Amino acid sequence: EIVLTQSPDFQSVTPKEKVTITCRASQSIGSSLHWYQQKPDQSPKLLIKYASQSISGVPSRFSGSGSGTDFTLTINSLEAEDAATYYCHQSSSLPITFGQGTRLEIK
Amino acid sequence: EVQLVESGGGLVQPGRSLRLSCAASGFTFDDYAMHWVRQAPGKGLEWVSGISWNSGSIGYADSVKGRFTISRDNAKNSLYLQMNSLRAEDTALYYCAKGVVVVADYFDYWGQGTLVTVSS
């Protein structure tokens, strides 16, 4: 099973700040890494697919990068509505696994 | 508009069974893989099971293998999860999620979830 480790677990940030969340895989997964946003009491929402591919309807301040074992989700110019938990997810091999999540609090 | 509506959750005693359903609409159901993903109260996301468009490829998390069975009825645009020998640690919100082509891929739409509580 491929283990995904996100950092940090929690971050308190101010609006307009730039945020970087990292996801490290226990073995190489190519670019089969995806990012989701889950706001309180809501279902997860796909933000980025295949490490860096944008999703229609997702604000352009969200971007992803990386390949192999190290990946990054970047949020430029954070907005209050970005308060949420962010998860990475690998689809390189079964079983599909998620990172433990990174909770973003907006100050 | 893609819609995924889960049902069948509830309170069940340890060792008993429960069957979850997911009604899909707004897309060509039999073109896509489908999945169940769960989230225990206050915890992160855990993939439970996935099934390809024609049921030819199925996968399970180790935590549910041998106890849970995923299936689909393309004529009814429905996904199912038969859960047997339920344990307290199966307590979670169960989401139905739409996949892409193969089972090992991303999820582009999620339902609102159905809550399963395993307790005596």
Side-chain angles (χ1 to χ4, degrees), chain B:
Chain B
E1 178 193 5
V2 172
Q3 284 200 318
L4 300 169
V5 180
E6 303 92 337
S7 61
L11 175 63
V12 61
Q13 294 179 327
R16 303 297 290 263
S17 299
L18 207 59
R19 189 194 197 208
L20 305 184
S21 300
C22 171
S25 61
F27 63 102
T28 305
F29 183 73
D30 53 12
D31 276 352
Y32 297 97
M34 296 294 296
H35 299 263
W36 291 99
V37 178
R38 68 185 180 184
Q39 187 168 34
K43 302 296 184 182
L45 301 171
E46 180 188 16
W47 177 76
V48 174
S49 182
I51 185 169
S52 62
W53 66 276
N54 64 350
S55 305
S57 178
I58 287 175
Y60 296 98
D62 288 345
S63 58
V64 307
K65 202 172 293 183
R67 299 188 300 123
F68 290 11
T69 302
I70 192 172
S71 62
R72 63 190 295 162
D73 185 335
N74 288 343
K76 295 183 177 179
N77 287 352
S78 293
L79 175 72
Y80 306 102
L81 185 68
Q82 177 67 42
M83 304 186 296
N84 298 331
S85 302
L86 282 161
R87 306 167 179 168
E89 54 264 36
D90 296 318
T91 294
L93 186 63
Y94 284 73
Y95 293 105
C96 168
K98 174 183 170 291
V100 191
V101 178
V102 297
V103 173
D105 217 322
Y106 60 90
F107 315 131
D108 55 1
Y109 292 94
W110 300 62
Q112 290 302 306
T114 186
L115 182 63
V116 173
T117 303
V118 184
S119 174
S120 53

Side-chain angles (χ1 to χ4, degrees), chain A residues 34 36 38 42-44 46 49-50 87 89 91 94-96 98, chain B residues 35 37 39 43-45 47 95 103-107 110-112:
Chain A
H34 321 288
Y36 301 84
Q38 186 178 33
Q42 292 188 18
S43 305
L46 179 66
K49 63 181 182 179
Y50 290 110
Y87 295 93
H89 149 222
S91 63
L94 295 182
I96 287 169
F98 289 89
Chain B
H35 299 263
V37 178
Q39 187 168 34
K43 302 296 184 182
L45 301 171
W47 177 76
Y95 293 105
V103 173
D105 217 322
Y106 60 90
F107 315 131
W110 300 62
Q112 290 302 306

